[in-house]
Amino acid sequence: MTVKSKAPNKGGASHAPARNEKGRSHNGGGNRQSGQPPKERPMPREESRPTVAPPPKEVIVDSAITVRDLAALMQRSPIDLIKILMQYGIMAPITHTLDHDTAVILGEELGVKVNWPAKVVEASAEAEAAAADAQPQPPKQRTFIQTTMAGQRADRMVERPPVVAVLGHVDHGKTTLLDRIRHTNVAAGEAGGITQRTGAYQVTVKGKKITFLDTPGHEAFTAMRARGAQVTDIVVLVVAADDGVMPQTKEAISHARAANVPIIVAINKIDKPNANPQRVMEELAKEGLQPESWGGDTIMVELSALTNLGIDDLLDNILVLAEVEQFKADPKGDCVGTVIEAELDKFRGVTATLLVQNGTLHRGDTVVVGKTWGRIKAMFDYEGKPIKEAGPSTPTMVLGLQEVPMAGDVFERVENDRQARQIAEARRLAAAVPQPEARRAVTLEDFLKRFEGDETKTLNLIVRADMQGTLEPIVKSLNDLSNADVEIKILQASIGDISESDVMLAEASDAVIIGFSVGVDKAAAVRADQSGVEIRKYDIIYKMLEDIEDAMKGMLEPVYKEVVVGHATVLQIFKLRKGFVAGCMVNDGVVKRGALARALRGNEVIVAEARVETLRRFTEDVAEVRQGYECGINLSQGDELLKEGDVIELSERVRVR
Ligand code: GDP
């Protein structure tokens, strides 16, 4: 295969409609969500666009907040915030959680004062005081920001190795390929080679390095993305030549596209007698990946991971693509990166493989990692050799972290242990503050509110249907709905029940899931519930289209239903100077102030519609009273009709998802 210097297919979903007249899209590559630093060309700072209502001058942030939520609070486009972060050298996706200082600085850049509640700041100050060794107090410092936002300097940016993830259907040979590449290209003379998987390794090809993530599959890839980490530069999509495009192949394509990461196809197992690479290419073309040899822009390499055929060709092409894409970082800039994997080792304590994405990590450095921190006691390369430093795109296994971080956690170097402790503690406290709305996923109903002014709005959808025969017309009609104002972008369209991987994709790429005559598997339901990802199920196409059209016009009405949350029996009626109070016992559930109330006497409805106006325990006003406790209830209307023995049924209006 010839090596061409051409950017491969990227982000151009096969189902994506042609650009509208304005030719602008939020998802069309502008928000290339990957871990690479911004290109050298500085991002033009956008002047604020005209808005309907002026954005607020001041906002209150309860705790650590995502880019998306802060943008919503400030009534700005998240893209504006992401651009500012990029100028500071922070590659943050929309789901990235911002700490206090970062949020404040973003506010300053946008002319909005960010107020952090006293409790978090105070609590962290207390923790700090408790933890502080008898050192003199330094002036209040801008911790995280100071160290990472200085970021990268254009004049110091240098090429860095590409970071490659291997995706594809089960049994198509991802693991074999990763092992093959590792064993044939690891520096010769290493007795026994590498025995331990550490989550990532590097190979050297023609004097240039390539970093491979050693956990194959789009689940790991998207799980990281859903946590806010953007590490992959290139996806190698493995497709077995004897099996062709399978469901997980399609999923992998959608996941790579949603992340805006270019794809190189590895057509594997060509040693097999029934291998049919031609057919694979045809199938891939149907998915929107046109082989270069047919005039398309996707690099496809035929190989056999088993016999080592074509592996060099694949590696060469990865280098070509890296050349085209120009992945760069500032090795002297602030040191940031991502946890690839971590565990507790019986003998060595916490071990973590970190991928440095900018700057250089040194032995002895202090880092904050997610909600923990540590001083790097020892560093090893992927072969287990002790090293003293690791530059951009270098994976390194480190010892010295206080606790086991999570894969996908971001780390950054800070000035000293004290600062690290302080940040980690503040994050822990911030995370402990309940924040039901903190990670608000997009919903059909409110997706328009995320945009401002006259920019083109993109509605990302993931579609599941029961049969191919229904999926195709659904995808077509959805695409046909795109207009000059709203672009519908279908990230993935597939057959079968909604899976956890769909929810992760939705989470990572701000999409709504549409299910047509399909179920939701249990793990998916749980995850959607936790992350707030919206799953909408339909059985009738026109109803689905109608809802999407309404959503595009911002006219989708929320659907509410009333859910009974508790019952209380009236024990006694007290006449007060003004009105009555029903002394009640809560039989089951909970009584809340403001809840909807109906009073029943047997089957007869005494008070049809009222609210709990005041709720008391003894003389004290309370917000809620639970089962087994007595309370005094005063209804907004009709409590003069109540008698002993009546049952007050309490309900709440909940939004139907
Ligand atoms: P994964 O699930 O995608 O990681 O697939 P594996 O790497 O575990 O491979 C699945 C099976 O396919 C194993 O039995 C491999 O030995 C076999 N396999 C992988 N690559 C090749 C190949 O190039 N040729 C042949 N004949 N078999 C292969």
Side-chain angles (χ1 to χ4, degrees), residues 168-179 216 238 242 268-273 303-308:
H169 194 73
V170 64
D171 279 348
H172 279 199
K174 300 179 292 293
T175 315
T176 313
L177 177 64
L178 278 164
D179 286 349
V238 178
D242 60 337
N268 189 29
K269 305 200 188 184
I270 53 158
D271 59 290
K272 285 194 137 185
L303 51 87
S304 164
L306 200 69
T307 67
N308 202 18

Short mmCIF file of all heavy atoms in Angstrom, two decimals, residues 168-179 216 238 242 268-273 303-308, ligand 1:
data_model
loop_
_atom_site.label_atom_id
_atom_site.label_comp_id
_atom_site.label_asym_id
_atom_site.label_seq_id
_atom_site.Cartn_x
_atom_site.Cartn_y
_atom_site.Cartn_z
N GLY A 168 -12.26 -2.10 17.87
CA GLY A 168 -12.79 -3.04 16.89
C GLY A 168 -13.64 -4.11 17.55
O GLY A 168 -13.74 -4.16 18.78
N HIS A 169 -14.24 -4.94 16.73
CA HIS A 169 -15.14 -5.99 17.22
C HIS A 169 -14.36 -7.06 17.99
O HIS A 169 -13.18 -7.28 17.72
CB HIS A 169 -15.86 -6.63 16.03
CG HIS A 169 -17.04 -7.46 16.43
ND1 HIS A 169 -18.23 -6.90 16.86
CD2 HIS A 169 -17.22 -8.80 16.47
CE1 HIS A 169 -19.08 -7.87 17.14
NE2 HIS A 169 -18.50 -9.04 16.91
N VAL A 170 -15.05 -7.71 18.91
CA VAL A 170 -14.41 -8.76 19.70
C VAL A 170 -13.86 -9.86 18.79
O VAL A 170 -14.45 -10.18 17.75
CB VAL A 170 -15.41 -9.33 20.75
CG1 VAL A 170 -16.59 -10.02 20.07
CG2 VAL A 170 -14.73 -10.27 21.72
N ASP A 171 -12.70 -10.35 19.14
CA ASP A 171 -12.04 -11.45 18.40
C ASP A 171 -11.51 -11.05 17.03
O ASP A 171 -11.09 -11.92 16.27
CB ASP A 171 -12.97 -12.66 18.23
CG ASP A 171 -13.00 -13.50 19.49
OD1 ASP A 171 -12.14 -13.28 20.37
OD2 ASP A 171 -13.87 -14.39 19.59
N HIS A 172 -11.53 -9.79 16.71
CA HIS A 172 -10.97 -9.40 15.41
C HIS A 172 -9.45 -9.23 15.46
O HIS A 172 -8.82 -9.02 14.44
CB HIS A 172 -11.68 -8.15 14.87
CG HIS A 172 -12.99 -8.47 14.22
ND1 HIS A 172 -13.63 -7.64 13.35
CD2 HIS A 172 -13.76 -9.59 14.31
CE1 HIS A 172 -14.76 -8.21 12.93
NE2 HIS A 172 -14.85 -9.39 13.51
N GLY A 173 -8.90 -9.32 16.67
CA GLY A 173 -7.44 -9.36 16.78
C GLY A 173 -6.78 -8.13 17.40
O GLY A 173 -5.59 -7.91 17.19
N LYS A 174 -7.54 -7.37 18.17
CA LYS A 174 -6.97 -6.16 18.79
C LYS A 174 -5.80 -6.50 19.72
O LYS A 174 -4.73 -5.89 19.63
CB LYS A 174 -8.04 -5.42 19.60
CG LYS A 174 -9.24 -4.98 18.80
CD LYS A 174 -10.29 -4.29 19.66
CE LYS A 174 -10.99 -5.18 20.66
NZ LYS A 174 -11.86 -6.21 20.06
N THR A 175 -6.04 -7.46 20.61
CA THR A 175 -5.01 -7.80 21.58
C THR A 175 -3.79 -8.39 20.89
O THR A 175 -2.64 -8.06 21.21
CB THR A 175 -5.57 -8.82 22.60
OG1 THR A 175 -6.86 -8.35 22.99
CG2 THR A 175 -4.69 -8.95 23.81
N THR A 176 -4.04 -9.26 19.91
CA THR A 176 -2.93 -9.88 19.18
C THR A 176 -2.11 -8.80 18.48
O THR A 176 -0.87 -8.83 18.50
CB THR A 176 -3.49 -10.88 18.13
OG1 THR A 176 -4.45 -11.70 18.77
CG2 THR A 176 -2.39 -11.74 17.53
N LEU A 177 -2.80 -7.83 17.90
CA LEU A 177 -2.10 -6.75 17.20
C LEU A 177 -1.23 -5.94 18.18
O LEU A 177 -0.06 -5.67 17.92
CB LEU A 177 -3.11 -5.84 16.49
CG LEU A 177 -2.52 -4.63 15.77
CD1 LEU A 177 -1.60 -5.06 14.63
CD2 LEU A 177 -3.62 -3.72 15.23
N LEU A 178 -1.82 -5.60 19.31
CA LEU A 178 -1.07 -4.81 20.30
C LEU A 178 0.15 -5.60 20.80
O LEU A 178 1.24 -5.03 20.95
CB LEU A 178 -1.98 -4.45 21.48
CG LEU A 178 -2.87 -3.23 21.26
CD1 LEU A 178 -4.00 -3.17 22.27
CD2 LEU A 178 -2.05 -1.94 21.31
N ASP A 179 -0.04 -6.89 21.02
CA ASP A 179 1.09 -7.72 21.48
C ASP A 179 2.16 -7.82 20.40
O ASP A 179 3.35 -7.73 20.68
CB ASP A 179 0.60 -9.13 21.83
CG ASP A 179 -0.18 -9.13 23.14
OD1 ASP A 179 -0.15 -8.10 23.83
OD2 ASP A 179 -0.83 -10.15 23.43
N PRO A 216 -7.50 -2.40 24.76
CA PRO A 216 -8.25 -2.25 23.51
C PRO A 216 -9.75 -2.14 23.77
O PRO A 216 -10.24 -2.50 24.84
CB PRO A 216 -7.94 -3.54 22.76
CG PRO A 216 -7.59 -4.54 23.80
CD PRO A 216 -7.04 -3.79 24.97
N VAL A 238 -9.57 -2.20 14.05
CA VAL A 238 -9.24 -3.54 13.58
C VAL A 238 -10.50 -4.23 13.06
O VAL A 238 -11.50 -4.30 13.77
CB VAL A 238 -8.61 -4.38 14.71
CG1 VAL A 238 -8.30 -5.80 14.24
CG2 VAL A 238 -7.35 -3.71 15.23
N ASP A 242 -11.97 -11.95 7.56
CA ASP A 242 -12.85 -13.09 7.32
C ASP A 242 -14.22 -12.88 7.95
O ASP A 242 -15.10 -13.72 7.85
CB ASP A 242 -12.22 -14.38 7.89
CG ASP A 242 -11.98 -14.27 9.39
OD1 ASP A 242 -11.89 -13.13 9.90
OD2 ASP A 242 -11.91 -15.31 10.07
N ASN A 268 -7.39 -7.05 9.36
CA ASN A 268 -6.55 -8.09 9.97
C ASN A 268 -6.92 -9.49 9.46
O ASN A 268 -7.93 -9.67 8.79
CB ASN A 268 -6.73 -8.00 11.50
CG ASN A 268 -5.75 -8.87 12.25
OD1 ASN A 268 -4.64 -9.12 11.78
ND2 ASN A 268 -6.15 -9.34 13.43
N LYS A 269 -6.08 -10.44 9.77
CA LYS A 269 -6.28 -11.86 9.49
C LYS A 269 -6.28 -12.15 7.98
O LYS A 269 -7.01 -13.04 7.53
CB LYS A 269 -7.60 -12.38 10.11
CG LYS A 269 -7.72 -12.12 11.61
CD LYS A 269 -8.76 -13.04 12.25
CE LYS A 269 -9.00 -12.65 13.70
NZ LYS A 269 -9.91 -13.52 14.42
N ILE A 270 -5.47 -11.39 7.23
CA ILE A 270 -5.48 -11.67 5.79
C ILE A 270 -4.76 -12.98 5.47
O ILE A 270 -4.75 -13.44 4.33
CB ILE A 270 -4.87 -10.52 4.94
CG1 ILE A 270 -3.48 -10.16 5.46
CG2 ILE A 270 -5.77 -9.31 4.89
CD1 ILE A 270 -2.65 -9.48 4.40
N ASP A 271 -4.12 -13.59 6.48
CA ASP A 271 -3.52 -14.91 6.26
C ASP A 271 -4.58 -15.99 6.13
O ASP A 271 -4.32 -17.09 5.65
CB ASP A 271 -2.60 -15.24 7.45
CG ASP A 271 -3.35 -15.24 8.76
OD1 ASP A 271 -3.75 -14.13 9.22
OD2 ASP A 271 -3.58 -16.30 9.33
N LYS A 272 -5.78 -15.70 6.57
CA LYS A 272 -6.81 -16.75 6.57
C LYS A 272 -7.30 -17.02 5.14
O LYS A 272 -7.46 -16.10 4.35
CB LYS A 272 -7.99 -16.31 7.44
CG LYS A 272 -7.69 -16.41 8.93
CD LYS A 272 -8.96 -16.31 9.71
CE LYS A 272 -9.00 -17.31 10.84
NZ LYS A 272 -10.28 -17.31 11.54
N PRO A 273 -7.55 -18.30 4.84
CA PRO A 273 -7.95 -18.64 3.47
C PRO A 273 -9.26 -17.95 3.06
O PRO A 273 -9.43 -17.60 1.89
CB PRO A 273 -8.13 -20.16 3.52
CG PRO A 273 -7.99 -20.58 4.93
CD PRO A 273 -7.40 -19.47 5.71
N LEU A 303 -3.30 -6.57 6.92
CA LEU A 303 -2.23 -7.17 7.71
C LEU A 303 -2.65 -8.48 8.37
O LEU A 303 -3.82 -8.86 8.33
CB LEU A 303 -1.74 -6.18 8.78
CG LEU A 303 -2.77 -5.52 9.69
CD1 LEU A 303 -3.04 -6.38 10.90
CD2 LEU A 303 -2.23 -4.17 10.15
N SER A 304 -1.68 -9.12 8.95
CA SER A 304 -1.96 -10.29 9.77
C SER A 304 -1.17 -10.13 11.07
O SER A 304 0.05 -10.17 11.06
CB SER A 304 -1.54 -11.58 9.06
OG SER A 304 -1.50 -12.62 10.02
N ALA A 305 -1.90 -9.94 12.14
CA ALA A 305 -1.23 -9.78 13.44
C ALA A 305 -0.57 -11.09 13.82
O ALA A 305 0.43 -11.11 14.53
CB ALA A 305 -2.25 -9.38 14.49
N LEU A 306 -1.12 -12.19 13.28
CA LEU A 306 -0.58 -13.50 13.65
C LEU A 306 0.75 -13.76 12.97
O LEU A 306 1.70 -14.22 13.61
CB LEU A 306 -1.59 -14.58 13.25
CG LEU A 306 -1.44 -15.91 13.94
CD1 LEU A 306 -1.81 -15.79 15.41
CD2 LEU A 306 -2.35 -16.95 13.28
N THR A 307 0.85 -13.43 11.68
CA THR A 307 2.09 -13.75 10.95
C THR A 307 3.01 -12.54 10.80
O THR A 307 4.03 -12.64 10.15
CB THR A 307 1.76 -14.30 9.55
OG1 THR A 307 1.17 -13.21 8.80
CG2 THR A 307 0.79 -15.45 9.60
N ASN A 308 2.60 -11.41 11.34
CA ASN A 308 3.44 -10.21 11.30
C ASN A 308 3.45 -9.53 9.93
O ASN A 308 4.26 -8.64 9.69
CB ASN A 308 4.88 -10.57 11.72
CG ASN A 308 5.62 -9.34 12.21
OD1 ASN A 308 4.99 -8.33 12.54
ND2 ASN A 308 6.94 -9.41 12.24
P1 GDP B 1 -9.62 -9.21 20.35
O1 GDP B 1 -10.82 -9.74 21.04
O2 GDP B 1 -10.00 -8.27 19.26
O3 GDP B 1 -8.57 -8.66 21.24
O4 GDP B 1 -9.00 -10.46 19.55
P2 GDP B 1 -7.72 -11.35 19.90
O5 GDP B 1 -6.48 -10.59 19.66
O6 GDP B 1 -7.92 -11.95 21.22
O7 GDP B 1 -7.81 -12.43 18.75
C1 GDP B 1 -8.90 -13.32 18.65
C2 GDP B 1 -8.45 -14.58 17.95
O8 GDP B 1 -8.05 -14.29 16.62
C3 GDP B 1 -7.24 -15.24 18.62
O9 GDP B 1 -7.43 -16.61 18.59
C4 GDP B 1 -6.09 -14.82 17.74
O10 GDP B 1 -5.04 -15.76 17.75
C5 GDP B 1 -6.74 -14.76 16.37
N1 GDP B 1 -6.05 -13.82 15.50
C6 GDP B 1 -5.71 -12.56 15.75
N2 GDP B 1 -5.09 -12.01 14.70
C7 GDP B 1 -5.04 -12.97 13.74
C8 GDP B 1 -4.52 -13.02 12.40
O11 GDP B 1 -3.97 -12.06 11.86
N3 GDP B 1 -4.69 -14.18 11.73
C9 GDP B 1 -5.30 -15.25 12.27
N4 GDP B 1 -5.41 -16.34 11.54
N5 GDP B 1 -5.78 -15.25 13.51
C10 GDP B 1 -5.67 -14.13 14.25
#
